[in-house]
């Protein structure tokens, strides 16, 4: 190519003197001045990854001038020829997931990306004819963990329970909760590790617990929490047995039979009974 703008092409389909001039790596651009080209993003990328499902705006500014048109590059490719972004941007629809606009009179251009995901993790740079291509900004998106919690185990005591589970890739936090069986309200805690103890439970009571994996991007929709049911231990003193009966034995018998009912102890789930026999030898 020849001409003063050979190294500073426009996007395909643009009108103007260099609308169809391709990028020629290795050539110099007489009027290029990338120091006049500034790129920024909102929200800022300087603080690290941004959470998914947000909208990000990549903005370019430059000193306006004759025949200065902008294009956004994704890596080494124009966004208009990018296999994923190109068909969307070409619609020129402000309601689409991607929308590119520029105001050459003001020397500004914007690329709006909605509902960002990790698939948008790319380097974006701005190319302006007669100026050149500036430094890129790299989009880094944080998504919630893609897997649920597994291996949830409950080890109950009398008034507490220890919950343990396996670590989930990408999780930095776990939402752990318990409730009494048959109730609706959960008692929750955020835990950075893979175990947690809940105190203050009632003895001999039925409970449910659940754990969900999360990070700064939250909990991914559609992944069910791990759940477990448990019963705390029983240390209550038993009720007296009812209906204690000594059955009549034959003369000179060496055994006797005792019987009782356990109706009063059913709720306490008693499994053992202690017997004591007193023999009157005064007769």
């Amino acid at each position: 190519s020849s001409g003063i703008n050979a190294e500073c092409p426009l996007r395909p389909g643009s009108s103007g003197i260099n609308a169809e001039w391709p990028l020629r790596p290795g050539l110099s651009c007489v009027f290029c001045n990338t120091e006049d080209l500034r790129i920024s993003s909102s929200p800022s990328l300087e603080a690290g990854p941004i959470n998914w499902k947000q909208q990000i705006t990549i903005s370019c500014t430059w000193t306006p001038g004759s025949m200065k048109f902008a294009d956004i590059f994704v890596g080494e490719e124009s966004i208009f020829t990018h296999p994923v972004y190109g068909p969307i941007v070409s619609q020129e629809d402000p309601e689409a997931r991607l929308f590119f606009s520029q105001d050459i009179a003001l020397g500004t251009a914007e690329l709006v990306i909605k509902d960002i995901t990790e698939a948008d993790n790319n380097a974006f740079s701005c190319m302006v004819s007669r100026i050149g291509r500036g430094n890129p900004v790299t989009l880094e998106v944080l998504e919630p963990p893609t897997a649920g919690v597994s291996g949830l185990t409950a080890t109950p005591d009398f008034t507490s329970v220890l919950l343990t589970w396996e670590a989930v890739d990408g999780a930095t936090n776990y939402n752990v909760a318990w409730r009494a069986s048959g109730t609706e309200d959960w008692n929750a805690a955020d835990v950075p590790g893979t175990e947690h103890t809940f105190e203050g439970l009632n003895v001999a009571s039925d409970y449910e617990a659940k754990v969900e994996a999360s990070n700064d991007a939250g909990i991914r929709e559609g992944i069910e929490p791990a759940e477990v049911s448990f019963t705390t231990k029983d240390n209550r003193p038993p009720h007296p047995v009812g209906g204690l009966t000594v059955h009549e034995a034959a003369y000179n018998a060496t055994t006797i039979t005792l019987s009782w009912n356990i109706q009063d102890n059913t709720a306490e789930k008693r499994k053992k009974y202690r017997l004591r026999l007193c023999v009157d030898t005064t007769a």
Side-chain angles (χ1 to χ4, degrees):
S1 298
S2 62
I4 60 175
N5 297 324
E7 180 63 5
C8 307
L10 296 180
R11 63 176 175 85
S14 297
S15 60
I17 189 171
N18 43 8
E20 297 181 357
W21 290 356
L23 182 66
R24 294 287 302 279
L27 296 182
S28 61
C29 178
V30 176
F31 290 96
C32 286
N33 178 18
T34 55
E35 293 181 358
D36 186 33
L37 184 56
R38 295 161 295 279
I39 188 168
S40 61
S41 67
S42 177
S44 173
L45 302 175
E46 295 180 357
I50 58 177
N51 293 342
W52 76 327
K53 298 298 184 182
Q54 294 191 65
Q55 173 178 301
I56 187 169
T57 300
I58 299 173
S59 303
C60 303
T61 60
W62 62 92
T63 301
S66 175
M67 305 307 297
K68 291 183 179 180
F69 301 94
D71 188 5
I72 297 291
F73 271 60
V74 184
E76 298 300 318
E77 186 167 14
S78 166
I79 196 167
F80 289 92
T81 59
H82 189 274
V84 176
Y85 296 148
I88 305 175
V89 173
S90 297
Q91 297 174 16
E92 298 184 351
D93 180 3
E95 302 302 320
R97 195 175 85 84
L98 280 85
F99 179 67
F100 175 78
S101 62
Q102 63 178 308
D103 188 328
I104 59 175
L106 296 178
T108 62
E110 286 188 348
L111 174 66
V112 177
I113 309 176
K114 302 174 182 177
D115 295 325
I116 57 174
T117 68
E118 289 180 348
D120 297 310
N121 286 350
N122 293 297
F124 295 86
S125 58
C126 191
M127 169 74 81
V128 177
S129 57
R130 306 192 70 186
I131 294 179
R133 180 174 165 188
N135 293 325
V137 293
T138 300
L139 179 57
E140 186 176 359
V141 179
L142 177 65
E143 293 193 17
T146 57
V149 172
S150 60
L152 177 59
T153 301
T155 305
D157 207 332
F158 296 106
T159 59
S160 64
V161 63
L162 170 63
L163 301 174
T164 60
W165 57 91
E166 297 177 6
V168 175
D169 187 36
T172 57
N173 194 67
Y174 298 89
N175 182 267
V176 190
W178 67 269
R179 69 181 178 186
S181 296
T183 63
E184 295 184 359
D185 295 333
W186 291 93
N187 302 276
D190 288 326
V191 179
T194 56
E195 66 175 48
H196 185 68
T197 298
F198 284 113
E199 306 278 358
L201 307 181
N202 295 324
V203 299
S205 299
D206 296 328
Y207 292 94
E208 301 169 348
K210 66 177 182 178
V211 180
E212 296 176 288
S214 67
N215 56 24
D216 288 343
I219 298 173
R220 187 178 292 270
E221 295 181 2
I223 296 182
E224 296 296 325
E227 297 183 347
V228 67
S229 299
F230 62 92
T231 301
T232 51
K233 294 181 179 180
D234 192 351
N235 63 353
R236 297 169 298 172
H239 289 85
V241 298
L244 178 60
T245 302
V246 179
H247 297 273
E248 185 176 352
Y251 180 74
N252 273 345
T254 59
T255 62
I256 60 173
T257 300
L258 305 178
S259 64
W260 60 90
N261 64 60
I262 59 174
Q263 182 176 358
D264 292 338
N265 289 298
T266 300
E268 298 167 2
K269 302 177 183 178
R270 302 301 175 185
K271 297 180 179 180
K272 297 180 180 179
Y273 295 90
R274 178 177 297 176
L275 303 178
R276 185 172 64 179
L277 178 63
C278 297
V279 179
D280 185 357
T281 59
T282 60

